[in-house]
Amino acid sequence: MKNLITTAFVLSSLFCFGQTKTDTVDLKNVNHSFLSELILEKCNEERAKVGAVPFIPNKVCQMAAQYQSDYMSHFLTPTHYNNNTFQGVKLYGPEDRVDYFNKKNNSKYLYDGEICFSIYDAELYMKYTYEQLAMEAINGFMNSLPHRTIMLTDLEKMQIPAIQYGSFATSSNITNGKFSFYVTGVTTYVNK
């Protein structure tokens, strides 16, 4: 009986306190894992519109994306190329990050692309839902031809027999009373 009550409490907590797309983002306490998953969902919706297969999330993409998103947030700059040591390593370019996390995970994914987006110095009174913030990132990618190309490319349509993976990671900070938000997406593939 005690286990049943504990299980019921845990399940009700998950349903009552779980984040939803329409929740207003607390800019001082962003649920980054939920937001990252939502951005991937929105990305895959855009891929479906052009007939591309959805990205499959994977650990290497997620780790490389999180490293870069955290780097940008820490150094307050959107960039693909890192000149500073961060988290104990210097990973200069996107391929370096995929190689590094491949080794850490004993995997062999092939680098395909990296996309980055940021919102600078937003006022703390700004109100976004999680869906709106996710769409800000997706619209930013869609409005940039190189980013849109990486986001929507379907290797199968290019006669390249491959399985495509992709993940997004977000981070944010508040500096001088302003909110800044950073997103990185990393894509990889393996040949079939």
Side-chain angles (χ1 to χ4, degrees):
M1 182 67 172
K2 185 177 179 181
N3 288 341
L4 183 61
I5 292 170
T6 302
T7 302
F9 175 77
V10 169
L11 289 174
S12 68
S13 295
L14 288 173
F15 289 116
C16 293
F17 301 113
Q19 214 70 69
T20 69
K21 296 175 187 182
T22 58
D23 286 347
T24 299
V25 179
D26 176 355
L27 299 182
K28 295 179 181 177
N29 188 27
V30 179
N31 182 340
H32 286 288
S33 61
F34 177 70
L35 185 55
S36 298
E37 290 172 15
L38 189 55
I39 293 170
L40 177 61
E41 177 185 308
K42 298 293 182 191
C43 170
N44 281 335
E45 288 173 9
E46 293 298 327
R47 289 178 64 79
K49 290 176 186 176
V50 297
V53 298
F55 283 129
I56 300 167
N58 91 7
K59 190 173 184 176
V60 169
C61 290
Q62 198 285 322
M63 292 173 83
Q66 192 66 61
Y67 179 92
Q68 190 60 15
S69 182
D70 290 346
Y71 179 96
M72 293 188 304
S73 181
H74 180 79
F75 291 105
L76 305 174
T77 184
T79 182
H80 292 286
Y81 298 99
N82 302 345
N83 294 318
N84 300 298
T85 298
F86 181 63
Q87 297 177 348
V89 292
K90 186 173 183 179
L91 303 174
Y92 178 71
E95 291 175 353
D96 298 327
R97 292 184 281 280
V98 169
D99 289 345
Y100 178 80
F101 291 108
N102 264 329
K103 287 176 188 163
K104 284 188 79 87
N105 290 283
N106 197 27
S107 55
K108 296 182 180 179
Y109 297 101
L110 301 169
Y111 171 77
D112 190 36
E114 179 183 87
I115 55 180
C116 298
F117 171 79
S118 61
I119 294 175
Y120 293 113
D121 295 338
E123 298 292 342
L124 291 178
Y125 62 78
M126 298 287 293
K127 299 289 183 206
Y128 294 97
T129 65
Y130 277 91
E131 185 162 37
Q132 288 170 329
L133 202 49
M135 285 310 300
E136 286 280 333
I138 292 300
N139 290 337
F141 295 138
M142 292 297 286
N143 289 326
S144 162
L145 181 58
H147 289 98
R148 182 174 62 240
T149 300
I150 290 169
M151 196 172 88
L152 300 180
T153 295
D154 188 334
L155 295 178
E156 293 271 333
K157 285 184 177 178
M158 298 170 59
Q159 306 299 317
I160 301 170
I163 301 169
Q164 290 182 270
Y165 300 90
S167 293
F168 289 87
T170 66
S171 58
S172 61
N173 64 49
I174 296 174
T175 304
N176 298 324
K178 305 276 186 162
F179 174 77
S180 293
F181 170 64
Y182 301 87
V183 180
T184 302
V186 174
T187 62
T188 62
Y189 66 98
V190 293
N191 294 314
K192 286 186 180 179

